[in-house]
Amino acid sequence: MMSNKSPYIYFKYYIALLMLISMSVVSGFRYYSGDDYISYMNIHNYIINNQYNYIFEPFFYFLNKISNSFSISSFLITLITNICIFYAILKVSNNSILGLFLYVLSEFYLSQFNIIRQSLGNSLLILSFVLFYYKNNTSSIIAFILSVFSHYAMLITAPILFLINKIKLKFYLFCLIIIIVYIFSQIGLFDFVYKIIGVLSFDKFSAYSEIDYSSMKTIGMKFIFNFIVFFFSVVLIKSKYKDYNNKLIENLIKIIMFGFFLSAIGTSIPLSLIHI
C-alpha cells in the first residue's frame, strides 16, 4: 500500500524536474551571454563543418556533432550537466529542492554560462564519485570515462578529489583558513602566482606575467556571497539533518571547501583573466 508521504515526495520530484529543465533552458539557450560564448559557438561550427584536424574530447565532440545549431548543443550539454548533478543530489539526500536551490546559487551552475566543457566534465566526475561511494562500480567507471571524454583535465582532477578526502581539517578551521587566504589575496600576497602562471604557460598567456594586478583588484563579491551561503547551509545541515554524518556528504563538503580555497586565492583577479 502506498505511503501517505508518497504524493508529497512525487510532488517534490516534479518541482525539482521543472527547476532542472528551466535551469537548462536558461543556461543552454542563452544568447551571447558568457565570456566564452563566441569561442564555443565557433567550436560548434568547426565540428559541424568537419574543420577540426586534431583529436577533440570525444563526448563533447559527439554532442556538438549531433546538434544542428549551437543553441541545441549548448542546451543538450547543460541538460546532461544538470541531470548528473541532480541525480548525485538525490543519491546523497532526499531533500532535492534544497539541494537544487543551493546548486542554483553555486558557482558550479553559473559556470555553465562560460566553461561548458569543464562543467560537463566536472558533473560527470562528481556523479562518478558518488556512484563509486555506493558501490555502483560499472556506472561509476562509465561516468568517469565520459567525464574525461568531455574534458581531458578530469584526468588531473580525479586523483585530486580522492586526495582531498584525506584532509583531516575540521569544517570551521577550514573556513578560517579560507578567510585568511582571501585576506592575503586582497593585500596582494598571491600576485606572484599569476605572474608565474603567465611565465610557465603557453605563449598566448605569457602577457599575463607583465600585468600590474595591483591596479585591477576586485573584492570578489560573488565569492563572498557563495561562501556565506555555503557556510550557513552546512551549519544548517549540521544542526538539522542527521544525514550530515554520512561520510559521502562530509567528503563532498571537503571538495567544495577546497574549491573555495582555490577561489579565495583568485578573488583579486579580474573576471576576464580567470580562465588562465
Side-chain angles (χ1 to χ4, degrees):
M1 186 170 63
M2 186 176 292
S3 169
N4 291 332
K5 293 184 179 180
S6 295
Y8 174 67
I9 292 175
Y10 285 116
F11 175 74
K12 286 202 306 181
Y13 288 167
Y14 176 73
I15 296 299
L17 180 62
L18 287 179
M19 289 176 61
L20 187 72
I21 295 175
S22 299
M23 290 157 50
S24 302
V25 168
V26 171
S27 55
F29 287 105
R30 69 194 186 283
Y31 185 72
Y32 282 90
S33 175
D35 292 344
D36 293 341
Y37 182 91
I38 295 179
S39 297
Y40 278 111
M41 182 173 62
N42 291 334
I43 288 174
H44 171 78
N45 293 332
Y46 290 148
I47 292 175
I48 290 297
N49 296 319
N50 299 312
Q51 293 179 334
Y52 267 119
N53 55 6
Y54 62 91
I55 298 176
F56 208 63
E57 284 87 350
F59 188 52
F60 179 79
Y61 181 95
F62 171 76
L63 294 177
N64 276 275
K65 193 67 174 177
I66 64 175
S67 306
N68 58 10
S69 71
F70 172 64
S71 296
I72 295 298
S73 69
S74 182
F75 170 72
L76 185 59
I77 290 169
T78 54
L79 180 62
I80 294 174
T81 299
N82 292 326
I83 287 175
C84 290
I85 293 297
F86 180 53
Y87 185 76
I89 289 172
L90 291 181
K91 293 288 286 184
V92 173
S93 174
N94 288 326
N95 201 326
S96 56
I97 300 297
L98 176 61
L100 274 180
F101 176 73
L102 295 176
Y103 173 53
V104 171
L105 292 177
S106 72
E107 179 71 22
F108 198 97
Y109 171 69
L110 295 176
S111 67
Q112 295 178 24
F113 291 80
N114 292 294
I115 48 176
I116 301 176
R117 281 185 300 151
Q118 292 92 327
S119 297
L120 177 62
N122 284 327
S123 67
L124 285 162
L125 187 60
I126 290 174
L127 177 60
S128 174
F129 183 84
V130 172
L131 292 172
F132 177 80
Y133 178 85
Y134 285 107
K135 311 299 183 183
N136 297 328
N137 295 331
T138 302
S139 298
S140 176
I141 292 173
I142 293 173
F144 173 70
I145 292 174
L146 290 177
S147 74
V148 174
F149 283 178
S150 300
H151 199 293
Y152 292 139
M154 298 305 111
L155 287 170
I156 300 175
T157 306
I160 291 177
L161 292 186
F162 286 96
L163 289 175
I164 289 171
N165 293 321
K166 302 299 181 181
I167 297 175
K168 300 299 183 181
L169 288 176
K170 296 294 185 180
F171 173 72
Y172 294 108
L173 179 57
F174 211 156
C175 288
L176 178 61
I177 292 174
I178 290 172
I179 292 172
I180 293 174
V181 169
Y182 169 78
I183 294 173
F184 283 175
S185 177
Q186 289 299 304
I187 63 178
L189 294 187
F190 295 117
D191 287 1
F192 74 94
V193 175
Y194 316 142
K195 295 181 181 296
I196 291 175
I197 292 175
V199 171
L200 298 179
S201 298
F202 298 110
D203 290 341
K204 66 178 180 178
F205 297 128
S206 60
Y208 293 133
S209 62
E210 306 298 328
I211 292 177
D212 179 13
Y213 293 99
S214 62
S215 63
M216 307 172 68
K217 294 289 185 182
T218 64
I219 62 173
M221 283 301 299
K222 187 166 62 173
F223 165 83
I224 295 173
F225 174 77
N226 288 338
F227 183 70
I228 291 174
V229 170
F230 174 75
F231 175 83
F232 284 106
S233 299
V234 174
V235 171
L236 175 65
I237 292 173
K238 285 169 63 69
S239 62
K240 298 293 184 181
Y241 296 100
K242 295 180 180 179
D243 60 356
Y244 173 77
N245 294 322
N246 186 314
K247 190 66 176 179
L248 175 60
I249 293 180
E250 292 181 356
N251 289 339
L252 290 173
I253 288 175
K254 288 180 184 177
I255 292 172
I256 297 173
M257 294 291 286
F258 183 73
F260 276 117
F261 174 82
L262 295 179
S263 296
I265 296 176
T267 50
S268 58
I269 309 176
L271 182 62
S272 61
L273 302 181
I274 285 178
H275 300 299
I276 294 180

